[in-house]
Amino acid sequence: FSPPLLPRKRIKVDAERKKTFVLKMPMELTQSRIQKIWLPNDNRPALPRRSCGPQLANSPTVIVMVGLPARGKTYISKKLTRYLNWIGVPTKVFNVGEYRREAVKHYSSYDFFRPDNEEAMKVRKQCAMAALRDVKLYLTEEAGQIAVFDATNTTRERRGMILNFAKENGFKVFFIESVCNDPTVVATNVMEVKLSSPDYRDCNSTDAMEDFMKRINCYQASYQPLDPDDYDRELSLIKVIDVGRRFLVNRVQDHIQSRIVYYLMNIHVQPRTIYLCRHGESEFNLMGKIGGDSGLSNRGKKFALALNKFVEEQNLKDLKVWTSQLKRTIQTAEALQLPYEQWKALNEIDAGVCEEMTYEEIREQHPEEFALRDQDKYYYRYPSGESYQDLVQRLEPVIMELERQENVLVICHQAVMRCLLAYFLDKSADEMPYLKCPLHTVLKLTPVAYGCRVESISLNIEAVNTHRDRPEEAKKGPNPLMRRNSVTPLASPEPTKKPRINSFEEHVAVSSALPGCVPQEVPTQMPGQ
Amino acid sequence: SPARELTQNPLQKTWEPYDNGLPAGHSAQRGVCMTNCPTLIVMVGLPARGKTYISKKLTRYLNWIGVPTKEFNVGQYRRDLVKKYKSFEFFLPDNEEGLKIRKQCALAALNDVRQYLSEENGHVAVFDATNTTRERRETICKFGEENGYKTFFVESVCVDPEVIAANIVQVKLGSPDYVDCSNDEATEDFMKRIECYKNSYETLDETLDKDLSYIKIMDVGRSYLVNRVMDHIQSRIVYYLMNIHVTPRSIYLCRHGESELNLKGRIGGDPGLSVRGKEFAKSLAQFINEQNIKDLKVWTSQMKRTIQTAEALGVPYEQWKVLNEIDAGVCEEMTYEEIQENYPLEFALRDQDKYRYRYPKGESYEDLVQRLEPVIMELERQENVLVICHQAVMRCLLAYFLDKPAEQLPYLKCPLHTVLKLTPVAYG
């Protein structure tokens, strides 16, 4: 026990053991106005900042993907990054293929990847180095916590180079290898994400497929899989075999690696659909009151019946239905005449002392709280209640189980639905509290390529509007990179080297406001790399 | 058809459908996890590889999170049948009498498994035996299929002689089998016992066992092989097994110092420390200093009283919202007398079933366990930790470590100004 040196301390010398330790007056604490976190009044620079949540990671970590082309490395990279950002760990993907496309403006053929193509080998190595330089920048100067280095990394030599790089910079390294020899899986991957790649913009599908298969071949001879039994015994790694049938895990070093392993072991690639909606309009909704545990209004009951019809029309195999433990979601589920599971974790955000008040009443009786909430809606915690940040923490097991499941309908609440939606659509903490989740509208989410397609379906039953836009005068939220504490969902940062299809970026900008609009299908993530 | 009416269960405050006054249909309450078929966990491994350690620990964890689980140790059945253990010769592969008895014991244990899972509402049974041959495992798989159980194997593989020797010292020398032997005699006999199994040991194989669901734990958790995880509970089991370790360490549990509301006999709230509470904080600092703990982590809740207590220690600490005291809902900041006066029904209900009782607009002990599960998981990962928390929270954590059932949990004694020091030893 060696206490840190502090200013203004009273030092007592222990006569028997000649050890000095510090006896302080228990400090005065003040509760931060927005987050309601108790902090000591002084600002001791010497003491490491006490965090407000479990420490998720200390040294930055480089996650190194390993595997032949079309084994799902980019899929895993993007999905994992989205998850880590959502739980508040700043994470970014560095895709070497994108660096290569920047460097070599036009892709001609698989010849580029032939092992005897010395010119190309030089370029490819340069791209890897450039990506690593950006990794270093992100982790040391941009407050990044985890960098996902997405490339084939199929040789020991290349991995050795990365390990040295990490050692020089004090980064931890965790390898994720995807091994798959099932030709059907590989072919499906090629069709899903390769044929539409910028590399094959000017090719037809057959030619593209043929070229890509030859590209894979170029790597095969020199491929040295990770060998945790012997050569790679000391490395921290997970080998994902046959799309998750089997895993080999070696030397998990810390909490975040343990969470990553758990996440990877729960995700799957089976096609399925997730439906998100709120309970039908409630009595309190009609009165403009927030929170509480009221039942459905007449219109809310109509919605429940309409939802029943909608679900039937979807003709799904094995739909699981989840609700919260509040009456209004359960009443809604009852109309479906299907078994459903009640999750307390899906309960609406607890508004503490403001429960069952209208916004006018809050503004009157708690004017300061009212203003603070608009200032920083993500971090703002109601007195004796919760914040969106708290919600994310309690919803994490729901997300994990959603990943395990197949077809699921989640009947929940406005703030809860925004949190879940932000996970699926990769929205930042800043945007999350303003996502549009109107009553009587179902969001249908389907995984596609590297992301999630969202369809907004209004069931055409009138309801009050409970959405409040971000006020114009409100101070803009904090810089997403500034970590106030460990749970701060960030949208996965733009890849450093942007894909060259610019028209898709406009679609992305529009889609962030999409839920709540007229039903349409818009890819919210860009396919291809 | 008209929607069924919902009524709120007065104890747990959960909404349940009723049809003509009778509880209807199936609205499942998700506890921490749902299991549909019962699951049979089958341990695999040579003696002294930690099978019983894992069985007991896993059983304790699953019961704590609300999954009724029981372990069936075949060695125990053998001890009940063969009153006195003589020597390793009982385990020789050519000892027909021995083999007969051992098979009998395995079948008796499986029979009890069936009773537990199919008749006694058990969800998970842990079948703790060596199960080192493919033949034995196939018998068990068939048994599982016949009864509609999912089977999940947990194999522990370890060749490090130091680990094995340490295991023998920790748990074998004190076994009833060796009650009349010296340590040296016992060790020698046990090593020969292990040899009896080695020739016929068929480890879980990548190809031959590719259709089984299993986890292979290598070298006490250095690496893992996980094959075909079938469902949620298996996924949770794998996650748990991958987070536990056997490095010696201590966990310290205590409550915040006495608070201003404690003094007034009021529950909940977010008060600061009383004068005596501050004294406790200082004493705690001294106590911790004297313990001379390597790399101690300190965790608090996000309530003022635990943070004030931690501040006196002068070391970094982490604030966890999930360590906050149980939410007493409408009863927050009341005295028990006031509760009895204003909410007599609630007061009575709480005494009826204190574990499941949920305060109106508040929480139950059952809810607490669910929100504390990540704390337990992280405690398993960590080494030396001091958790400064609250009465109900501390009872939940303590119940996990001391394997106390739900009925006892809300009555565990956790007085103010008292530190509980927990050190793993043998199987507990």
Side-chain angles (χ1 to χ4, degrees):
Chain A
F1 177 68
S2 55
L5 289 175
L6 308 162
R8 297 184 289 117
K9 55 190 185 297
R10 228 178 77 215
I11 303 182
K12 178 183 171 192
V13 177
D14 183 306
E16 283 179 21
R17 292 208 261 146
K18 304 264 187 256
K19 260 207 291 196
T20 52
F21 61 93
V22 174
L23 250 194
K24 310 177 339 284
M25 293 307 165
M27 286 296 168
E28 281 308 305
L29 298 177
T30 332
Q31 195 176 43
S32 73
R33 288 159 73 228
I34 289 183
Q35 291 181 284
K36 312 298 191 292
I37 303 279
W38 289 102
L39 299 165
N41 286 349
D42 69 345
N43 262 303
R44 275 166 283 173
L47 215 52
R49 200 69 266 188
R50 45 205 80 54
S51 69
C52 298
Q55 274 293 353
L56 293 181
N58 334 359
S59 325
T61 303
V62 181
I63 294 178
V64 182
M65 302 304 298
V66 179
L68 294 172
R71 264 56 179 181
K73 296 186 299 300
T74 301
Y75 175 83
I76 291 171
S77 299
K78 286 178 183 269
K79 203 171 162 78
L80 182 60
T81 297
R82 174 162 60 88
Y83 168 71
L84 291 170
N85 278 310
W86 186 76
I87 63 171
V89 182
T91 306
K92 188 171 174 181
V93 181
F94 297 82
N95 176 287
V96 175
E98 280 166 19
Y99 284 73
R100 188 260 304 159
R101 272 185 282 275
E102 276 292 310
V104 180
K105 300 301 179 190
H106 178 68
Y107 173 79
S108 46
S109 84
Y110 78 96
D111 283 323
F112 182 84
F113 291 97
R114 284 172 48 175
D116 54 1
N117 185 341
E118 285 197 26
E119 186 62 35
M121 290 291 260
K122 231 173 62 175
V123 172
R124 290 159 68 193
K125 183 159 191 192
Q126 273 169 357
C127 291
M129 305 297 300
L132 283 179
R133 271 198 304 274
D134 286 344
V135 162
K136 177 174 174 177
L137 215 74
Y138 176 66
L139 296 180
T140 53
E141 291 174 38
E142 294 170 17
Q145 194 61 50
I146 301 194
V148 182
F149 189 67
D150 179 16
T152 49
N153 298 316
T154 38
T155 62
R156 287 180 181 166
E157 186 202 348
R158 172 57 54 86
R159 298 194 291 262
M161 179 191 81
I162 299 169
L163 283 165
N164 284 338
F165 159 83
K167 190 161 172 205
E168 281 163 18
N169 290 288
F171 304 150
K172 288 185 183 170
V173 180
F174 186 73
F175 290 92
I176 299 178
E177 181 176 25
S178 174
V179 175
C180 181
N181 297 313
D182 181 342
T184 326
V185 175
V186 175
T188 310
N189 288 355
V190 175
M191 287 197 300
E192 271 268 297
V193 297
K194 301 297 181 186
L195 302 187
S196 52
S197 153
D199 290 345
Y200 297 110
R201 199 172 17 176
D202 304 319
C203 289
N204 66 52
S205 297
T206 323
D207 291 343
M209 175 74 87
E210 195 184 319
D211 183 270
F212 200 85
M213 298 311 283
K214 290 191 188 141
R215 202 154 121 179
I216 297 178
N217 253 351
C218 295
Y219 288 86
Q220 248 155 350
S222 60
Y223 181 19
Q224 293 163 301
L226 287 171
D227 177 24
D229 289 332
D230 187 16
Y231 188 86
D232 299 307
R233 210 181 144 77
E234 300 297 323
L235 300 183
S236 298
L237 64 96
I238 178 170
K239 213 188 254 263
V240 179
I241 301 158
D242 291 336
V243 204
R245 174 154 305 165
R246 206 172 148 75
F247 302 89
L248 223 152
V249 178
N250 198 57
R251 293 198 189 268
V252 168
Q253 295 173 49
D254 59 18
H255 177 100
I256 196 65
Q257 289 181 17
S258 162
R259 293 283 286 275
I260 289 166
V261 164
Y262 185 45
Y263 183 72
L264 293 178
M265 288 177 46
N266 281 317
I267 61 180
H268 67 77
V269 293
Q270 298 312 313
R272 48 79 169 254
T273 310
I274 293 170
Y275 299 83
L276 301 179
C277 71
R278 293 165 66 186
H279 52 84
E281 183 191 68
S282 72
E283 297 289 352
F284 270 20
N285 287 143
L286 277 179
M287 295 187 257
K289 287 178 185 280
I290 67 169
D293 193 11
S294 57
L296 297 180
S297 67
N298 281 329
R299 298 194 297 198
K301 290 177 183 169
K302 284 212 185 82
F303 167 72
L305 295 171
L307 185 64
N308 179 28
K309 186 150 163 282
F310 170 77
V311 167
E312 272 174 20
E313 285 164 4
Q314 292 289 299
N315 219 350
L316 295 157
K317 154 185 110 101
D318 295 332
L319 177 71
K320 294 265 167 77
V321 180
W322 296 352
T323 70
S324 70
Q325 282 187 1
L326 295 171
K327 188 176 185 184
R328 52 199 185 275
T329 56
I330 299 166
Q331 268 184 303
T332 309
E334 276 285 313
L336 305 178
Q337 302 182 315
L338 291 171
Y340 55 90
E341 282 179 43
Q342 299 184 17
W343 293 66
K344 186 169 194 276
L346 284 172
N347 280 9
E348 181 58 312
I349 192 171
D350 182 356
V353 303
C354 301
E355 276 285 316
E356 307 197 24
M357 293 173 110
T358 64
Y359 285 115
E360 287 67 46
E361 284 165 355
I362 300 173
R363 197 201 307 243
E364 261 168 59
Q365 296 176 37
H366 303 278
E368 191 185 315
E369 293 297 326
F370 191 81
L372 285 172
R373 187 158 204 252
D374 279 338
Q375 220 177 58
D376 205 342
K377 198 173 175 187
Y378 179 75
Y379 289 107
Y380 172 81
R381 184 184 279 169
Y382 281 102
S384 306
E386 294 178 303
S387 61
Y388 272 90
Q389 184 180 47
D390 295 326
L391 263 194
V392 164
Q393 186 160 11
R394 88 162 142 87
L395 287 169
E396 199 266 352
V398 176
I399 289 294
M400 197 62 87
E401 189 57 19
L402 276 172
E403 287 293 347
R404 288 198 57 78
Q405 291 291 341
E406 295 191 15
N407 295 322
V408 187
L409 163 64
V410 184
I411 305 172
C412 54
H413 305 268
Q414 184 167 247
V416 168
M417 187 164 158
R418 285 170 169 156
C419 290
L420 299 178
L421 194 60
Y423 166 76
F424 288 108
L425 301 188
D426 204 13
K427 299 296 180 187
S428 69
D430 197 47
E431 300 170 81
M432 185 195 293
Y434 298 101
L435 294 176
K436 283 203 169 65
C437 294
L439 286 166
H440 300 186
T441 306
V442 180
L443 292 187
K444 179 174 176 178
L445 301 161
T446 334
V448 67
Y450 291 133
C452 213
R453 185 176 78 200
V454 62
E455 258 180 84
S456 172
I457 301 143
S458 162
L459 297 194
N460 287 321
I461 310 276
E462 285 283 310
V464 297
N465 176 16
T466 57
H467 185 88
R468 294 178 69 246
D469 272 313
R470 190 199 305 265
E472 291 305 315
E473 350 57 78
K475 198 175 74 162
K476 189 163 170 15
N479 180 341
L481 284 179
M482 184 184 99
R483 295 173 59 215
R484 300 259 288 269
N485 64 43
S486 35
V487 187
T488 310
L490 311 169
S492 305
E494 281 303 313
T496 299
K497 299 298 171 191
K498 294 188 186 197
R500 290 162 61 73
I501 304 181
N502 289 314
S503 57
F504 273 86
E505 291 179 31
E506 283 162 31
H507 268 294
V508 170
V510 167
S511 71
S512 66
L514 210 56
C517 302
V518 170
Q520 45 180 292
E521 298 181 19
V522 175
T524 52
Q525 296 278 353
M526 295 167 273
Q529 41 174 347
Chain B
S1 52
R4 302 182 291 195
E5 280 304 303
L6 292 179
T7 342
Q8 195 175 37
N9 169 311
L11 181 79
Q12 293 178 288
K13 312 300 187 292
T14 44
W15 291 100
E16 289 152 6
Y18 272 69
D19 220 335
N20 288 325
L22 296 164
H26 221 353
S27 150
Q29 275 357 285
R30 170 168 279 258
V32 179
C33 57
M34 299 299 281
T35 55
N36 350 358
C37 322
T39 302
L40 173 60
I41 297 177
V42 183
M43 303 304 299
V44 179
L46 293 172
R49 262 59 176 176
K51 296 186 302 298
T52 302
Y53 175 84
I54 291 170
S55 300
K56 287 181 182 278
K57 205 171 160 76
L58 184 58
T59 299
R60 176 163 59 90
Y61 168 72
L62 290 172
N63 277 312
W64 186 76
I65 62 171
V67 181
T69 306
K70 190 170 172 185
E71 27 138 10
F72 298 82
N73 177 288
V74 175
Q76 199 47 56
Y77 283 73
R78 188 259 306 156
R79 269 184 282 276
D80 289 341
L81 196 60
V82 180
K83 298 302 176 192
K84 175 110 178 68
Y85 173 77
K86 294 206 196 72
S87 81
F88 77 95
E89 285 172 8
F90 180 81
F91 292 95
L92 282 170
D94 55 2
N95 179 346
E96 290 208 17
E97 185 63 31
L99 283 172
K100 222 175 74 177
I101 292 173
R102 289 157 68 196
K103 181 150 195 198
Q104 216 178 323
C105 291
L107 291 175
L110 282 180
N111 204 29
D112 287 349
V113 163
R114 184 200 348 251
Q115 185 162 345
Y116 178 67
L117 295 181
S118 302
E119 293 168 37
E120 291 171 20
N121 289 318
H123 283 210
V124 178
V126 184
F127 188 67
D128 179 17
T130 48
N131 298 315
T132 38
T133 62
R134 194 154 282 116
E135 184 201 351
R136 171 56 55 86
R137 297 193 292 264
E138 263 167 31
T139 311
I140 298 169
C141 282
K142 271 205 201 74
F143 163 83
E145 271 167 39
E146 282 164 15
N147 289 286
Y149 309 149
K150 287 186 185 169
T151 307
F152 186 75
F153 293 91
V154 177
E155 181 175 17
S156 173
V157 174
C158 181
V159 295
D160 183 341
E162 277 182 35
V163 174
I164 295 161
N167 287 355
I168 293 176
V169 168
Q170 274 263 308
V171 297
K172 300 297 180 187
L173 299 186
S175 154
D177 290 345
Y178 296 113
V179 72
D180 299 322
C181 293
S182 75
N183 284 352
D184 285 337
E185 286 166 349
T187 306
E188 194 186 320
D189 183 272
F190 199 83
M191 295 307 285
K192 292 190 186 141
R193 204 154 121 178
I194 298 177
E195 283 306 309
C196 295
Y197 286 86
K198 277 198 180 158
N199 279 340
S200 59
Y201 181 18
E202 294 169 294
T203 185
L204 286 171
D205 180 80
E206 192 176 317
T207 318
L208 294 171
D209 299 306
K210 66 175 170 44
D211 290 328
L212 299 181
S213 297
Y214 65 84
I215 178 171
K216 197 190 267 224
I217 303 170
M218 283 154 309
D219 296 332
V220 203
R222 174 187 63 86
S223 63
Y224 305 88
L225 221 150
V226 179
N227 198 58
R228 289 194 189 265
V229 167
M230 298 301 277
D231 60 15
H232 178 98
I233 191 68
Q234 290 181 15
S235 162
R236 294 288 287 274
I237 288 165
V238 164
Y239 185 45
Y240 182 72
L241 292 177
M242 288 177 43
N243 280 317
I244 61 181
H245 67 77
V246 293
T247 312
R249 48 81 168 256
S250 289
I251 294 170
Y252 299 80
L253 301 180
C254 70
R255 291 166 65 186
H256 52 83
E258 184 190 66
S259 76
E260 296 290 356
L261 283 187
N262 286 144
L263 273 180
K264 299 186 193 150
R266 294 182 176 281
I267 66 171
D270 194 12
L273 296 180
S274 67
V275 171
R276 294 193 298 197
K278 290 178 182 171
E279 284 302 311
F280 166 72
K282 287 187 217 168
S283 300
L284 184 64
Q286 185 161 4
F287 169 76
I288 292 298
N289 181 45
E290 285 162 5
Q291 288 284 303
N292 229 339
I293 308 157
K294 170 179 103 95
D295 294 331
L296 178 72
K297 294 263 167 80
V298 179
W299 296 353
T300 70
S301 70
Q302 282 187 0
M303 294 179 144
K304 188 176 185 181
R305 51 202 188 274
T306 56
I307 298 165
Q308 267 185 302
T309 309
E311 275 288 316
L313 304 179
V315 296
Y317 55 89
E318 288 178 37
Q319 298 185 15
W320 293 64
K321 186 173 194 275
V322 292
L323 282 172
N324 281 6
E325 182 57 313
I326 192 172
D327 182 356
V330 301
C331 300
E332 278 284 319
E333 305 202 33
M334 291 178 137
T335 64
Y336 284 115
E337 289 71 41
E338 285 167 358
I339 300 174
Q340 189 160 22
E341 247 184 71
N342 292 302
Y343 300 99
L345 179 61
E346 295 296 329
F347 192 80
L349 282 171
R350 188 156 204 251
D351 281 337
Q352 230 173 62
D353 190 345
K354 200 172 174 190
Y355 182 74
R356 274 168 208 85
Y357 171 80
R358 186 184 279 171
Y359 281 103
K361 303 193 181 170
E363 293 178 302
S364 61
Y365 273 95
E366 193 171 22
D367 295 326
L368 261 196
V369 163
Q370 186 162 3
R371 81 162 147 88
L372 287 169
E373 199 266 350
V375 175
I376 288 297
M377 197 62 87
E378 190 56 20
L379 276 172
E380 287 294 346
R381 287 197 57 77
Q382 292 289 341
E383 294 188 15
N384 294 320
V385 187
L386 163 64
V387 184
I388 304 173
C389 54
H390 305 266
Q391 182 167 248
V393 168
M394 187 163 158
R395 284 170 168 157
C396 292
L397 299 178
L398 193 60
Y400 167 75
F401 288 109
L402 301 187
D403 203 13
K404 298 294 183 189
E407 304 77 60
Q408 293 177 38
L409 191 161
Y411 298 100
L412 294 175
K413 283 200 169 62
C414 296
L416 287 166
H417 302 183
T418 307
V419 180
L420 294 185
K421 179 178 176 178
L422 304 162
T423 326
V425 66
Y427 291 137

